[in-house]
Structure formats: C-alpha cells, structure tokens
Amino acid sequence: MAKYIFITGGVVSGLGKGITGSSLGVLLKNSGLKVFMQKFDPYLNIDPGTMNPIEHGEVFVTEDGGETDLDLGHYERFIDENLFKVSSWSAGKIYSEALRKERHGKYFGKTVQVIPHITDLIKEKIYQAENISKADIIISEIGGTVGDIESQPFLEAIRQVRMEKGYNNVMFIHVALLPFLRVSGEYKTKPIQHSVKEMLSLGIQPDVIVARTEGQIDERLKNKISLFCNITTQNVIVCPDSDSIYKIPLILKQTNLHNIVANQLQLELKNLNMSGWEKFNLNIMESSTEMEIHIVGKYVELSDAYLSVMESLKIAGYDIKKKVKFVWVNSRYLNKDNVKEQLQDAKGILVPGGFGEEGVEGKILAAQFARENNIPYLGICLGMQVACVEFARNVAGIEDAISSEINKESKNKIIDILEGKDGENIGGTLRLGKYTTNLVPNTLASQLYGSKTAVERHRHRYEFNNSYRELLEEKGLVFSGIYKEENLVEIIEIPTHKFFIACQYHPEFTSRPNKPNPLFKGFVQAISDNYK
Ligand code: GLN
C-alpha cells in the first residue's frame, strides 16, 4: 500500500510548496523508494489549457497529453519521473465530473453536496494515483493557502484520508512563512501559529512544519514554533531562501526531513545517494561565465510563461558550466524598423510556442534575422512554424506564405489544419502528448539525439503543409524529423547555417538536471562556441 504525504501552505502563497514537495521526493527516491506526485488546484478552470499564460504561466504537458499546472514541470525535473493526467486536478475538473454524474443520475436522486460528494471524488483521485503509479510514496500538493474558502474541500478530503489510512500511512507537511521584521530585527512566529490554528479548526494537525525564512533561525524560535504548534522541535524544519531551487534537496537533506518522514511512515530507507544532485549543484556553482540568449516571445511580461524553456536552457548551460542569462524580446513590438537594433547583439535566438495572431510577424522577423545572420536558432512549435513561413517567403519566394491560424484566406498556407482523407478536418483539436519522431540519418537532429527516434511531447493544432515540402527542400530546407504514422513534419533544419533547427513539439518538457534535452544541449553549445 502506498503512503501519502500532503503538502499544504500557510500565511502566503508563493513559498515553494511544490519545490519543497519535490525536493522531499528527490530524497525519498534516492533512498530507494518509488515516488509519484500530484497537485490539487482550488481554481474553477477545468485545466490551465485555456488560461492566459501571462496570468497563469506555462501549460506543462504530460506524456499522456494532460495540460497541467507548471508545478508539474518542477516535479518531473526534480523526481525524474514521468507523471500523468492523474497528477493534476483542479476544483473545476472535480466539480464538472460531479455535475456530469448528477445529470446522468449517478447519485440516484440524492442531494449532491460538497461533503460528501466532492470530497469523495477528491479522495477517489488520490487513491487512483496509487493504482496507476504503483508508487511507494505519493506526495500531493494542495494549491493555495490554508484559510482560502476554495481549498476547504481538499483539506477536508485529506483529513478523511488520514482517518481512513491512519497516522503511519499519511503525513501532513505544512509549509508556512516565518517573516523577518526588519524594523525590530526579529522573526515573528505568530503568522505560523495562526495558520496552524486554522488547520486545527479543520481537524488537521500538521506533522512537520517547514518554516520558510530569509535566513537561519536559532533554536529558541524553533522551540517556540514547536510549543505553540504541537509538534516536536525536530519536526520544525527551517528552509531559508536560496539563490537556486536546485539547492533545496541538499538543504532539506541537512534537516533530516527524509528520516523524519521515514520514521512516522515506518518506511525503510536505503542509503541516501545524492551524488547526481551534488554533481549538478557543483556544476551550477562552477558556472561562472555568463552567456546571453534572446527569447522572442509574446508572453514575455511573465517569465513563468516560459518556465520549462528557461529551466531547459539553464540546465543545458550548467552542463557546460555556463550561466545562461535571458534577454526578453516582445515579438508584438518587433518590426522591420527595429529588428536589427533589437537583435544585432544576439548570440542565440529562441522562438518559443504561442497561440493566436498577435506577435507572429515579429517572430517571423526574428527567424529571418537568425537565418540571415548565421545566429544559432532554436524554434519551438510556433517557432518552427514561423521558421517555415519565413523560409517560404524569403528563400522560396512565396511572398504570401503564412499559417492558416493567422490568415485562412491566403493561397499559400504553409502551416495548416490538415484535411482528413474524406475531406473532414482532422485537426480540430490539439495534438497533445507524446509522439515518436523518426529522425532522418545524417542530419543535425539525428546527430544531436544520437538515435533513430525521439519521443517528445506536443501541444499544437496546426501542422506543416506537406504540399510545400518538395519546393522548400529544393531550396535547402531539410526535414529531419517525421512522425511516420501520419507523415507529419516534426523537425526542420538548415544545414548551411551554423545552427538552425526547429521542432513542432516541445522539447522543453523533457529536460532534467544532468540530462538536458538534446536540442537545448546542441543550441547552448552552439551559442557558447559563438562566444569564443
Ligand atoms: N499555435 C500553433 C498551433 O496551434 C502553435 C502552438 C504552440 O506553439 N504550442 O499549431
């Protein structure tokens, strides 16, 4: 039977519950356990798929095509396990399932209520993860902060899980802010006391408190938290701010959190082996030389919108001991008159994914600038589509080349929704999740992956229009990755260029510490060579 750890948040949001949970996951995995993670979000959207990236950050895509919260990206990168749709639940998804059941008469005329019907469904999702993952430990983060009205059903559900499974099978870790008051020069425990009181009123006694602080605190404060929050001093964990999230597993290792968990949950841990994380952190510390990468996107107001892209670039940088710095360029404002001024210093240009018409012409200009000036280019999803359009326009002379997402009327839809054999649209919905790309031998793509195939995740609606393949090939574009089953273009490259590659999928979702995705690795290496 799996054991459960629930991570809740106190006082304020943004304390890094996800990083705390996944860092604990790292410690337990490296002690020989199989770890799985889940996130429960109290918002009413069904999933983040249609949420504005500038407001909510990136949509992380799981192998099985789940459109999930960006925290899942952290989870996967930390615990180095592929998660599934069952890892991500919003209140909206739970409620809509309950309402659908009600319409289908599945509640047999009973009055449908938050308790027990919503809480039962939440518990079902929690227990379902055990069957699907076959994990020893399931770490679940409850989004939001204790005290929020909308998180109450989730807290009630996890209270019931503890009752059903018992103290030795379920553990509550509360991550809460221990603020430092600069005027009086002291830490204040009161907010934590209040948030624990709030939890107690819901019937939940935290087993561990992770106090998020600016710096280290003395024993006296730990004793105070212990005394007023009903937990032993050793279960008060101090987690100070860190300049890198990747240090947190090593910081938590020092606090002995994994052994505290093992004691309560009666788990046998093997010798903890953190050599991989230690090596990765050493690389981070030794990454002193900086290199810049220009990211031309349209959601640049919130860098979280490109979180996995950023982490993938950083991870690839650390691999060669380079610290990557980002230069953000808003494609909405990029035009013929300012493109040179904006991009002339670029050592590498990355055009990430995106939806809708706005900012696309700016991205097309960025791809052109990279191609014409021999600047390393990595195009992701829309970044591949604009590279194809640009090539068609400026190399193959198809002046009105465009994607049908932007202009349905154009005669030259280089990127299009594909027609099914019977003339029906088959691309009405997104292509989501993992697909296998066949890599063409002797191409940059096959050299980078060092393999005949690449399995990567997708999230897009439009595809390269194969009727233009021959013409663009004649002009020097190489189609180096194909999804054979449906003959879809997955990767393009320009062999005469220093480094110009773009893919229809999202390689950013498969980078892990010490294991950068091959496209990011090649791109960052090419930029680094540019610095010499
Ligand atoms: N908007 C494009 C499509 O749907 C690209 C999507 C993306 O970049 N994720 O095909």
Side-chain angles (χ1 to χ4, degrees):
M1 191 188 77
K3 312 263 180 176
Y4 292 93
I5 299 172
F6 293 104
I7 315 275
T8 55
V11 186
V12 291
S13 59
L15 291 176
K17 291 193 295 288
I19 299 295
T20 308
S22 30
S23 298
L24 173 59
V26 170
L27 295 174
L28 296 174
K29 179 172 175 176
N30 290 334
S31 303
L33 297 175
K34 184 162 169 50
V35 177
F36 190 70
M37 293 190 72
Q38 272 190 312
K39 168 129 199 230
F40 291 90
D41 274 305
Y43 54 73
L44 289 177
N45 305 63
I46 306 279
D47 63 42
T50 49
M51 289 165 89
N52 184 348
I54 294 179
E55 204 177 299
H56 191 74
E58 84 174 5
V59 174
F60 185 82
V61 181
T62 53
E63 264 197 356
D64 61 346
E67 295 179 274
T68 75
D69 190 84
L70 51 75
D71 263 311
L72 264 82
H74 285 311
Y75 300 171
E76 284 205 357
R77 282 186 288 274
F78 272 63
I79 65 171
D80 194 12
E81 294 283 343
N82 292 335
L83 301 173
F84 313 111
K85 284 180 184 163
V86 291
S87 285
S88 175
W89 294 99
S90 67
K93 206 178 247 176
I94 306 264
Y95 276 86
S96 70
E97 190 173 324
L99 295 175
R100 212 167 38 243
K101 281 174 78 175
E102 187 273 337
R103 287 293 84 185
H104 291 154
K106 296 278 164 51
Y107 291 116
F108 306 108
K110 284 205 162 59
T111 310
V112 181
Q113 294 177 301
V114 173
I115 299 169
H117 300 104
I118 296 296
T119 45
D120 278 354
L121 262 187
I122 297 172
K123 283 193 293 178
E124 187 186 299
K125 307 310 174 198
I126 292 170
Y127 296 143
Q128 192 185 38
E130 176 175 351
N131 297 334
I132 292 179
S133 68
K134 307 272 179 279
D136 304 308
I137 285 274
I138 296 167
I139 303 176
S140 300
E141 175 186 351
I142 309 295
T145 309
V146 171
D148 296 346
I149 291 175
E150 59 264 42
S151 27
Q152 282 194 11
F154 294 100
L155 296 171
E156 169 58 14
I158 64 172
R159 184 194 69 76
Q160 292 183 16
V161 171
R162 166 101 110 188
M163 294 319 294
E164 289 173 5
K165 300 279 180 182
Y167 175 81
N168 293 127
N169 293 315
V170 178
M171 194 159 177
F172 296 127
I173 298 183
H174 191 51
V175 181
L177 178 69
L178 180 64
F180 182 72
L181 285 198
R182 219 152 285 280
V183 268
S184 54
E186 56 182 346
Y187 281 101
K188 288 291 187 189
T189 63
K190 194 70 81 178
I192 291 191
Q193 292 179 41
H194 276 294
S195 100
V196 170
K197 214 164 147 189
E198 186 77 39
M199 289 197 72
L200 288 173
S201 73
L202 300 167
I204 298 176
Q205 165 67 55
D207 302 300
V208 168
I209 289 176
V210 175
R212 286 284 294 104
T213 59
E214 279 183 33
Q216 283 300 342
I217 61 169
D218 57 33
E219 282 302 301
R220 195 183 50 86
L221 274 174
K222 275 179 147 191
N223 290 337
K224 198 167 166 189
I225 295 172
S226 149
L227 185 65
F228 293 119
C229 299
N230 320 312
I231 57 170
T232 56
T233 340
Q234 61 147 8
N235 285 19
V236 179
I237 303 292
V238 180
C239 188
D241 293 345
S242 165
D243 53 1
S244 161
I245 53 172
Y246 297 112
K247 280 188 191 157
I248 305 296
L250 299 180
I251 292 174
L252 289 185
K253 178 187 166 203
Q254 298 299 328
T255 70
N256 212 25
L257 181 59
H258 51 300
N259 285 322
I260 294 170
V261 167
N263 276 344
Q264 179 174 332
L265 298 182
Q266 299 171 340
L267 292 163
E268 260 188 52
L269 300 186
K270 298 215 177 77
N271 263 350
L272 175 58
N273 178 356
M274 291 292 279
S275 51
W277 276 87
E278 277 151 14
K279 172 181 167 260
F280 183 59
N281 272 281
L282 197 67
N283 281 359
I284 295 179
M285 267 159 50
E286 289 175 357
S287 297
S288 46
T289 27
E290 292 187 349
M291 56 186 261
E292 275 183 1
I293 298 181
H294 282 59
I295 300 184
V296 184
K298 70 167 182 177
Y299 312 121
V300 292
E301 291 91 335
L302 182 73
S303 59
D304 267 3
Y306 302 112
L307 186 71
S308 291
V309 169
M310 289 164 67
E311 294 308 314
S312 291
L313 290 171
K314 285 191 220 164
I315 287 170
Y318 297 142
D319 214 53
I320 52 167
K321 302 200 177 165
K322 293 275 156 49
K323 193 177 198 157
V324 172
K325 290 269 168 225
F326 307 105
V327 182
W328 298 102
V329 179
N330 194 329
S331 65
R332 292 175 211 249
Y333 308 126
L334 203 60
N335 55 46
K336 280 204 170 73
D337 298 329
N338 64 17
V339 63
K340 183 155 185 253
E341 172 206 333
Q342 298 255 342
L343 295 178
Q344 63 187 356
D345 294 332
K347 298 273 198 267
I349 295 175
L350 186 150
V351 175
F355 288 84
E357 194 182 332
E358 267 184 298
V360 169
E361 286 300 326
K363 289 185 171 182
I364 295 173
L365 283 173
Q368 181 181 6
F369 195 85
R371 181 181 56 78
E372 289 178 348
N373 294 287
N374 215 11
I375 300 169
Y377 179 87
L378 177 59
I380 296 177
C381 209
L382 184 61
M384 181 193 100
Q385 299 177 351
V386 294
C388 294
V389 167
E390 188 281 312
F391 195 90
R393 281 186 190 175
N394 301 316
V395 182
I398 311 171
E399 278 172 25
D400 60 347
I402 193 65
S403 157
S404 61
E405 184 177 13
I406 316 304
N407 181 0
K408 287 194 177 43
E409 311 309 323
S410 165
K411 279 205 283 308
N412 287 301
K413 289 177 270 196
I414 303 295
I415 308 294
D416 204 357
I417 298 260
L418 295 188
E419 298 279 304
K421 285 188 196 75
D422 52 3
E424 287 289 304
N425 276 349
I426 54 164
T429 50
L430 290 175
R431 181 147 76 103
L432 280 169
K434 77 166 178 189
Y435 288 82
T436 301
T437 296
N438 277 75
L439 303 168
V440 177
N442 304 320
T443 57
L444 176 61
S446 75
Q447 180 203 324
L448 292 173
Y449 277 96
S451 156
K452 288 189 174 136
T453 56
V455 180
E456 299 280 8
R457 303 176 195 180
H458 296 64
R459 180 171 179 256
H460 64 105
R461 188 167 284 122
Y462 298 83
E463 305 282 354
F464 179 82
N465 182 345
N466 281 330
S467 24
Y468 293 90
R469 203 138 122 189
E470 227 178 275
L471 176 64
L472 298 195
E473 229 158 18
E474 271 170 28
K475 298 287 177 189
L477 196 66
V478 168
F479 296 88
S480 51
I482 304 293
Y483 172 52
K484 265 205 180 143
E485 282 76 352
E486 291 182 35
N487 193 22
L488 299 176
V489 170
E490 296 276 26
I491 312 176
I492 58 123
E493 57 189 72
I494 304 176
T496 49
H497 191 282
K498 194 182 277 170
F499 185 97
F500 195 108
I501 196 160
C503 53
Q504 188 56 77
Y505 51 78
H506 288 270
E508 69 269 31
F509 296 141
T510 50
S511 280
R512 309 261 164 99
N514 294 330
K515 283 186 271 182
N517 174 284
L519 296 188
F520 280 93
K521 188 173 173 166
F523 179 53
V524 165
Q525 183 63 58
I527 298 170
S528 161
D529 295 344
N530 238 359
Y531 269 84
K532 283 179 190 143

